[in-house]
């Protein structure tokens, strides 16, 4: 299962809390300090819940719908590659133009943007969920699933730290620095996506391994 490094690196690359700082600053520009702190807490907790739930229940959902893991790996790898392409263009891994527009309109209306679109899908979306489910299937012991849940906690803490320091990080790194880091994480994610897709294709078509 490549414990303990690869699953955590993959999740950190996809979620990339620093990469969404410019959007967080934009969405919360009219928020009070109390509203901003509440948004950060809810976003961090929701990120943890999404990852932990995917680790514990994701495989059961696949079994319910009769989806093979090999097929899911190919689809999940494609989603990871798509997310990597977004990041190579210095965009959040799971962003869409309508998500950003929705976030801006909700913020302007005074609605909470902590869950949608900040956490889902900008921080944790289909690619993040797919990644957790793929690694959960590779777990051979219950404690390994526990490690994935702990990784969800790490992601939640990383999200809380990054968004809490959004102003300072934004000033220190600038948009250029954030873009460079996002592109580097995208490159790492692209390599991992190819590995995941190749593994799934070999399971579907064993002749490819020859």
């Amino acid at each position: 299962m490549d414990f303990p490094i690869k699953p955590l690196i993959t999740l950190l690359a996809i979620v990339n809390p620093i990469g969404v700082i410019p959007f967080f600053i934009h969405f919360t520009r009219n928020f009070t300090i109390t509203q901003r702190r509440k948004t950060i807490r809810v976003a961090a907790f929701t990120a943890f819940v999404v990852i932990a739930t995917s680790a514990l229940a994701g495989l059961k959902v696949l079994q319910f719908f009769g989806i093979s893991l090999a097929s899911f790996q190919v689809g999940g790898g494609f989603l990871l590659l798509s997310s990597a392409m977004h990041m190579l263009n210095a965009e959040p891994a799971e962003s869409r133009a309508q998500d950003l527009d929705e976030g801006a309109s909700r913020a302007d209306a005074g609605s909470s943007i902590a869950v949608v679109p900040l956490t889902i899908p900008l921080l944790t979306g289909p690619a993040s969920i797919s990644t957790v489910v793929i690694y959960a299937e590779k777990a051979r012991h219950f404690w390994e699933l526990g490690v994935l849940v702990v990784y969800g906690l790490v992601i939640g803490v990383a999200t809380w730290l990054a968004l809490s320091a959004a102003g300072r990080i934004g000033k220190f790194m600038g948009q250029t620095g954030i873009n460079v880091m996002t592109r580097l994480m995208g490159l790492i994610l692209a390599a991992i996506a190819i590995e995941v897709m190749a593994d799934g294709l070999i399971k579907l078509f064993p002749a490819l391994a020859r």
Side-chain angles (χ1 to χ4, degrees):
M1 189 175 173
D2 298 316
F3 269 101
I5 300 300
K6 186 177 271 188
L8 183 59
I9 289 177
T10 305
L11 284 173
L12 286 173
I14 299 171
V15 177
N16 189 21
I18 294 179
V20 302
I21 282 177
F23 302 97
F24 172 76
I25 293 174
H26 174 70
F27 291 158
T28 61
R29 64 191 184 280
N30 295 323
F31 282 20
T32 64
I33 293 177
T34 300
Q35 289 175 319
R36 192 173 290 113
R37 287 175 178 170
K38 181 180 179 181
T39 298
I40 293 170
R41 289 196 302 270
V42 173
F45 179 73
T46 305
F48 160 71
V49 169
V50 169
I51 293 175
T53 302
S54 299
L56 297 176
L59 285 174
K60 292 181 175 59
V61 174
L62 290 186
Q63 292 169 359
F64 177 80
F65 287 103
I67 301 172
S68 71
L69 182 74
S71 300
F72 191 77
Q73 280 184 285
V74 175
F78 181 79
L79 284 175
L80 288 179
L81 188 58
S82 176
S83 296
M85 297 306 295
H86 277 287
M87 295 175 72
L88 288 172
N89 289 319
E91 299 173 356
E94 316 221 44
S95 67
R96 299 177 302 168
Q98 53 265 46
D99 294 325
L100 303 181
D101 291 340
E102 178 185 353
S105 63
R106 286 172 64 88
D108 289 340
S111 302
S112 172
I113 50 90
V115 177
V116 180
L118 187 59
T119 307
I120 305 171
L122 294 183
L123 287 168
T124 57
S128 307
I129 294 170
S130 300
T131 298
V132 176
V133 173
I134 289 169
Y135 280 115
E137 192 277 337
K138 295 178 182 294
R140 294 295 174 262
H141 305 283
F142 186 77
W143 69 264
E144 292 177 331
L145 287 178
V147 170
L148 290 176
V149 173
V150 171
Y151 286 167
L153 181 60
V154 172
I155 295 298
V157 171
T159 298
W160 181 81
L161 290 173
L163 297 184
S164 295
R168 294 189 292 275
I169 293 174
K171 290 179 182 178
F172 175 74
M173 297 186 65
Q175 186 63 53
T176 300
I178 291 175
N179 288 348
V180 169
M181 193 201 70
T182 299
R183 287 188 170 99
L184 288 174
M185 299 297 277
L187 185 60
I188 294 172
L189 186 59
I192 294 173
I194 296 299
E195 286 189 356
V196 171
M197 291 179 67
D199 188 39
L201 287 170
I202 289 173
K203 289 179 181 177
L204 287 174
F205 308 104
L208 293 175
R210 297 176 183 174

